[in-house]
Amino acid sequence: MSREARDRAASGTSGDDERVWRLTYSELDPQEEGRREALCTLGNGYFATRGAAPESHADGVHYPGTYVAGCYNRLRDVVDGRVVDNESLVNLPNWLPMTFRVGDGPWFGTGATEVVEHHQELDLKRGLLLRRLLVRDPAGNLTSVTQRRFVHMELPHLAGLETTLVAENWSGPVTVRSGIDGGVHNGGVARYRHLDGHHLTGHRADEPSPDVVRIEVATRQSDIRVATAARTRCVRDGSPAEGTRRLVRLPEAIAHEITLDVGRGGELRVEKIAAIHTSRDPATDEPGADVLGWLDDAAGFDRLADRQAIAWSHLWERFDFDIDNAGLLRIIRLHVFHLLQTLSPHTVDLDTGIPARGLHGEAYRGHVFWDELFVFPVINLRLPVLARALLRYRHRRLPRARHAARAAGHPGAMYPWQSGGSGAEESPQLHVNPLSQRWIEDPTHRQRHIGLAVAYNVWQHYQATGDTEFLIDYGAEMMLEIAAFFASLASFDQATGRYSIRGVMGPDEFHTGYPGRDGEGIDDNAYTNVMAAWLFRRTADVLDSLAPQRARELREKLEIEDADLRRWDTLSRRLAVPFHGDGVISQFDGYAELAELDWAAYRARYGNIRRLDRILEAEGDNVNRYQASKQADVLMLFYLFSADELGALLHRLGYELRYDTIPRTIEYYLARTSHGSTLSAVVHAWVLARANRPQAMELFVEALNSDLADVQGGTTAEGIHLAAMAGTVDLLQRCFTGLETTGGTLRLNPQWPRELGPLRFSLRYQHNPITLHVAGRNVTVEVGEGGDPFRVSCGGDTVTLRPGETAEFTVAGS
């Protein structure tokens, strides 16, 4: 690439089309730096590096961080007199360090050099972070600095940083320092900093060749060996230049200092190519040798950047959306971009799940929650092989889930609320309220509904992909074991003639128990019970989908008797679902008897009351006393099921879903929800989309801005909210199009907002490449080559489409 082309790329002057592919920052703002670093993270599914400046270090403003998927370590602390241990995604050696100085002047980044101009862009199309600065040192030397950075999407172990210096008003020697910092620790989340964050040990630094430095470390408890190496080469005024190179060793860091003479107006380009390898990687020999092999084979920065652009173009062919609204399109692309940086084709070969905060920071310690429920719909319909691999993360941890169930006195499989490396329960025993600074028992492990999300994801993957092999080999076993566990939780209540599930927590997360019984859980959470009833009903479909021999083998292996199947069928008909008032579904038994909160008073007093639980605890009160929810709970049922599906489930349970039950229930909980989770806006936008379009659009916009505007007030710096990002994409692809994949049919019921213009995107349904064009109540389905005939249903019409065919539908109504 020519210098002119590089400058054009860095300046973003490629035309209007390029602007919707870029996230741009033109001014330095220390208060916003953490959020920008998270949003400018670059990754490839194997590892990711935050968008921290290469000359920076963790100082309260900046926080460099590099994370390899699935690289966890456990440390032990004494907290409030108790021994606790926490497993964390580990911040690994920083490959970025790059700085310079003119003559004997100060190093850039030490604070003595003035930044006169600053411009930064995240190029979503090509996976590049671009930065342009003009800096002035105390001697008045002006230097323009242009940087390009990638974490390679084709070559998963490689990353690159190109720094171009131009001597604007000076000539003479310039020294660049390029190295690796192994003296890092986990300190990116303020509320964790009082705990031990030093996960790395055994630092070994060396210089394997004249232009390469390397650091090898190991995690303290999990003993994962990690090697990071960096190759630095210089080009002066278009020609390779060696200069004088000096090796600098620090206690836990190593670098090369390279000094060259530059003429006035001259250019020095420094290319740094880095490689990362761990002992956890597949097909690895020895990490320290492997990183050198990658660097030996690595081309120069320009060639690698070209290959990077090609790799991203292939992903965008599958994942891009086309909308005639530049602002919306840019945010949707940003969300897709971060999804693909966390979960890419490289993830297929890794034993890793879906971290709730991506590979972008240390919040939630990098753990895997039920957030995958919001991510799978996007992946199932575009990269089913990736979705399959991510579901196998859960299957590999099925033995651990079985052990947890047995330890709790139950059969089947009890999946943990928070999962990490092994699949053990990683929910904290204690958590600190930042407002009161008090340590509080953390009972969130009672969110048993995580297993129901795993089962739901398995079934939806099968529905969207037709992957019978996955269902046979992995999915059916998980669903049946989860069903066995939930059946054991249900107890018969003689007074009501129904079965109850007691002592759990729902998706709400605020209610850990009843007043005076904190942490003991609540009874008959409507979401948990309806989802369990759905699972018990689906188990019959699962067994029917298997060949008789496989069904027999599974039943024998899992010791499922005819009596078990009869009990599951009974539970699908007799589980309790509480209602109150005029047909409103109760969040749990006794919810309506809780006190009402004076929402207006709390908003007037505190403004932001998203984390109402913390506010009340700091006041000496408890959210368990009130009809107050952090996020959607009952309303999750309207998110996961169509009205017809939910009506059929409730009818089977002996309840009727009246025509006004859904709007009454939505209205009731919308007035009692603090939206303390970024997922809340996604779910509420979904359930309001057909009944209250203006309010749905307001919540859709809030969901779009969850991280871009950091609506949670400082949390984005700790890592993006991956499920909320995927959820906004899913609102486009499924909610506003009415897209469902059930019963072997692709179903559509478009209600796309006309004010947003036409929508176009691609997907895959059961091996068929499809392009959808949606405008208002009209939809066109184009089928590519290479699939099989399949059914499409829309507006009461059902047709069979074959490869190469197109169908147009118009749904009657406003």
Side-chain angles (χ1 to χ4, degrees):
M1 181 184 289
S2 68
R3 177 183 174 186
E4 180 183 357
R6 288 198 303 273
D7 289 345
R8 185 168 61 249
S11 64
T13 56
S14 302
D16 290 340
D17 182 63
E18 287 292 310
R19 293 174 189 171
V20 295
W21 287 100
R22 295 182 182 238
L23 179 64
T24 303
Y25 297 104
S26 296
E27 295 180 357
L28 290 172
D29 185 347
Q31 299 299 318
E32 295 294 325
E33 186 62 23
R35 173 163 61 101
R36 293 182 184 183
E37 290 178 352
L39 289 172
C40 290
T41 294
L42 296 179
N44 59 19
Y46 169 69
F47 82 98
T49 296
R50 286 168 59 88
E55 69 276 5
S56 71
H57 60 278
D59 59 4
V61 174
H62 302 280
Y63 188 73
T66 291
Y67 310 95
V68 169
C71 187
Y72 292 98
N73 185 67
R74 189 181 305 280
L75 295 176
R76 180 164 292 178
D77 292 276
V78 176
V79 175
D80 204 27
R82 291 175 51 177
V83 176
V84 298
D85 60 67
N86 291 288
E87 183 190 57
S88 302
L89 188 69
V90 179
N91 184 14
L92 297 175
N94 180 17
W95 64 271
L96 280 175
M98 170 72 69
T99 185
F100 72 95
R101 66 178 180 180
V102 178
D104 295 326
W107 292 102
F108 175 53
T110 60
T113 302
E114 177 189 2
V115 178
V116 180
E117 296 177 6
H118 178 272
H119 185 84
Q120 182 170 301
E121 288 186 349
L122 180 64
D123 183 342
L124 306 173
K125 181 186 284 187
R126 301 167 186 86
L128 296 174
L129 182 59
L130 314 168
R131 187 173 180 236
R132 188 178 68 250
L133 307 95
L134 180 65
V135 301
R136 178 166 47 217
D137 67 15
N141 298 311
L142 285 171
T143 306
S144 66
V145 183
T146 304
Q147 291 182 322
R148 295 189 296 160
R149 184 194 309 183
F150 60 70
V151 171
H152 214 274
M153 187 54 83
E154 179 188 11
L155 304 168
H157 295 278
L158 291 185
L161 171 66
E162 177 197 68
T163 302
T164 301
L165 307 177
V166 176
E168 297 291 349
N169 66 348
W170 57 269
S171 63
V174 59
T175 303
V176 296
R177 178 188 286 168
S178 172
I180 306 168
D181 181 9
V184 298
H185 67 281
N186 281 42
V189 179
R191 59 189 177 278
Y192 303 162
R193 288 176 191 156
H194 58 281
L195 303 174
D196 190 357
H198 293 83
H199 293 275
L200 303 180
T201 189
H203 294 69
R204 291 189 301 163
D206 65 348
E207 183 187 39
S209 63
D211 59 358
V212 173
V213 292
R214 175 178 59 184
I215 284 185
E216 296 179 75
V217 297
T219 54
R220 287 169 56 186
Q221 171 270 333
S222 56
D223 196 30
I224 300 171
R225 289 173 292 124
V226 182
T228 305
R231 182 189 76 197
T232 305
R233 295 174 178 170
C234 297
V235 176
R236 179 175 51 195
D237 296 330
S239 300
E242 288 296 326
T244 302
R245 190 177 293 249
R246 183 172 76 94
L247 184 66
V248 178
R249 291 180 181 272
L250 299 173
E252 294 179 333
I254 191 168
H256 276 138
E257 288 185 2
I258 309 166
T259 303
L260 304 97
D261 286 324
V262 177
R264 188 183 184 93
E267 175 186 278
L268 176 65
R269 183 154 55 95
V270 184
E271 290 190 0
K272 182 178 186 178
I273 306 299
I276 298 175
H277 235 289
T278 82
S279 59
R280 194 176 177 276
D281 300 339
T284 190
D285 181 14
E286 197 283 316
D290 289 334
V291 289
L292 298 183
W294 278 88
L295 288 182
D296 286 343
D297 291 339
F301 189 96
D302 284 344
R303 174 61 176 161
L304 288 172
D306 290 342
R307 299 300 305 173
Q308 166 86 340
I310 292 171
W312 270 103
S313 72
H314 294 163
L315 288 174
W316 284 119
E317 287 175 7
R318 290 175 179 258
F319 282 85
D320 195 20
F321 286 73
D322 188 7
I323 311 163
D324 190 21
N325 182 303
L328 172 59
L329 182 58
R330 185 171 66 100
I331 300 175
I332 288 295
R333 283 174 172 166
L334 177 70
H335 290 183
V336 172
F337 181 75
H338 284 302
L339 175 65
L340 290 173
Q341 292 193 121
T342 307
L343 308 166
S344 80
H346 300 304
T347 312
V348 173
D349 293 328
L350 305 176
D351 177 29
T352 185
I354 302 176
R357 303 299 283 271
L359 298 173
H360 298 60
E362 296 160 15
Y364 303 160
R365 303 188 182 280
H367 291 163
V368 178
F369 294 72
W370 77 318
D371 298 56
E372 59 194 26
L373 189 72
F374 300 85
V375 176
F376 274 115
V378 180
I379 301 174
N380 280 334
L381 294 170
R382 287 169 183 81
L383 273 178
V385 65
L386 172 58
R388 187 187 218 257
L390 292 166
L391 287 168
R392 287 207 61 199
Y393 166 86
R394 292 296 192 181
H395 185 264
R396 292 189 191 98
R397 285 149 186 79
L398 183 56
R400 183 68 72 131
R402 287 176 173 137
H403 174 78
R406 289 195 303 272
H410 299 283
M414 183 174 77
Y415 277 94
W417 175 238
Q418 295 191 33
S419 181
S422 69
E425 177 61 78
E426 301 297 346
S427 297
Q429 299 102 306
L430 299 170
H431 70 265
V432 65
N433 181 352
L435 301 182
S436 68
Q437 293 301 309
R438 284 190 286 263
W439 287 95
I440 304 164
E441 291 282 346
D442 192 318
T444 52
H445 63 275
R446 289 185 177 272
Q447 293 188 76
R448 309 296 185 212
H449 63 86
I450 177 62
L452 298 168
V454 172
Y456 182 88
N457 291 333
V458 167
W459 186 250
Q460 293 303 316
H461 175 73
Y462 171 61
Q463 293 289 295
T465 65
D467 190 349
T468 305
E469 181 184 25
F470 171 80
L471 188 69
I472 292 171
D473 293 339
Y474 309 109
E477 185 176 13
M478 285 191 283
M479 291 184 70
L480 294 171
E481 286 287 73
I482 295 167
F485 170 71
F486 274 90
S488 75
L489 292 183
S491 60
F492 186 70
D493 187 332
Q494 293 284 354
T496 63
R498 288 190 172 274
Y499 290 84
S500 292
I501 295 177
R502 305 184 187 281
V504 300
M505 285 179 61
D508 158 50
E509 293 188 359
F510 271 178
H511 291 91
T512 67
Y514 291 96
R517 290 186 285 157
D518 302 334
E520 297 180 15
I522 45 86
D523 302 335
D524 288 330
N525 172 247
Y527 172 81
T528 300
N529 286 15
V530 172
M531 287 295 291
W534 169 86
L535 176 58
F536 295 136
R537 179 67 186 90
R538 288 285 79 77
T539 54
D541 297 332
V542 168
L543 291 171
D544 288 344
S545 299
L546 305 180
Q549 180 181 353
R550 178 56 179 159
R552 176 181 57 79
E553 290 172 349
L554 257 184
R555 288 187 57 183
E556 289 176 354
K557 174 183 177 180
L558 305 180
E559 299 180 342
I560 299 173
E561 306 291 342
D562 288 346
D564 295 313
L565 297 180
R566 289 193 295 271
R567 176 174 167 81
W568 296 359
D569 181 72
T570 298
L571 290 171
S572 75
R573 302 173 187 275
R574 299 302 297 163
L575 273 172
V577 179
F579 287 78
H580 70 264
D582 193 8
V584 172
I585 302 173
S586 290
Q587 186 168 306
F588 51 82
D589 184 34
Y591 184 86
E593 281 72 58
L594 299 178
E596 289 281 14
L597 185 80
D598 189 342
W599 291 87
Y602 273 88
R603 287 193 176 97
R605 194 184 319 166
Y606 292 98
N608 184 342
I609 61 167
R610 292 178 186 271
R611 289 309 305 266
L612 182 65
D613 57 331
R614 293 175 175 173
I615 292 172
L616 290 171
E617 193 279 334
E619 290 185 346
D621 205 344
N622 194 305
V623 74
N624 284 329
R625 296 181 54 233
Y626 299 99
Q627 296 182 46
S629 300
K630 176 183 175 183
Q631 59 187 325
D633 193 300
V634 172
L635 302 191
M636 280 296 302
L637 296 172
F638 309 145
Y639 176 79
L640 296 179
F641 302 113
S642 68
D644 290 342
E645 288 177 301
L646 183 59
L649 281 170
L650 290 174
H651 180 76
R652 184 180 179 86
L653 286 165
Y655 302 99
E656 292 304 318
L657 186 67
R658 297 179 350 197
Y659 76 93
D660 61 346
T661 296
I662 292 179
R664 283 181 179 274
T665 302
I666 292 172
E667 181 181 4
Y668 185 87
Y669 289 104
L670 191 59
R672 293 166 174 81
T673 301
S674 71
H675 301 294
S677 162
T678 55
L679 292 175
S680 194
V682 172
V683 176
H684 283 84
W686 187 292
V687 301
L688 287 166
R690 293 175 188 271
N692 189 333
R693 176 63 58 77
Q695 193 170 13
M697 291 303 297
E698 288 179 14
L699 288 161
F700 179 41
V701 170
E702 179 178 325
L704 286 170
N705 286 302
S706 291
D707 282 314
L708 198 60
D710 197 4
V711 299
Q712 293 291 323
T715 64
T716 300
E718 304 167 351
I720 54 98
H721 297 81
L722 192 67
M725 287 188 168
T728 62
V729 177
D730 199 29
L731 279 163
L732 294 189
Q733 76 163 6
R734 289 198 304 148
C735 178
F736 291 128
T737 64
L739 188 155
E740 298 178 55
T741 55
T742 58
T745 302
L746 183 69
R747 304 178 189 277
L748 296 160
N749 182 17
Q751 295 249 2
W752 176 246
R754 293 185 183 275
E755 62 268 26
L756 296 180
L759 167 70
R760 179 182 180 275
F761 63 93
S762 299
L763 55 87
R764 296 185 71 86
Y765 172 67
Q766 298 191 355
H767 312 294
N768 292 281
I770 299 167
T771 301
L772 293 183
H773 302 259
V774 185
R777 303 281 279 168
N778 303 310
V779 60
T780 300
V781 183
E782 296 179 0
V783 187
E785 301 294 337
D788 301 306
F790 66 99
R791 293 194 306 273
V792 179
S793 176
C794 183
D797 297 327
T798 300
V799 301
T800 297
L801 289 179
R802 294 169 177 79
E805 293 185 341
T806 298
E808 296 182 3
F809 302 92
T810 298
V811 179
S814 58

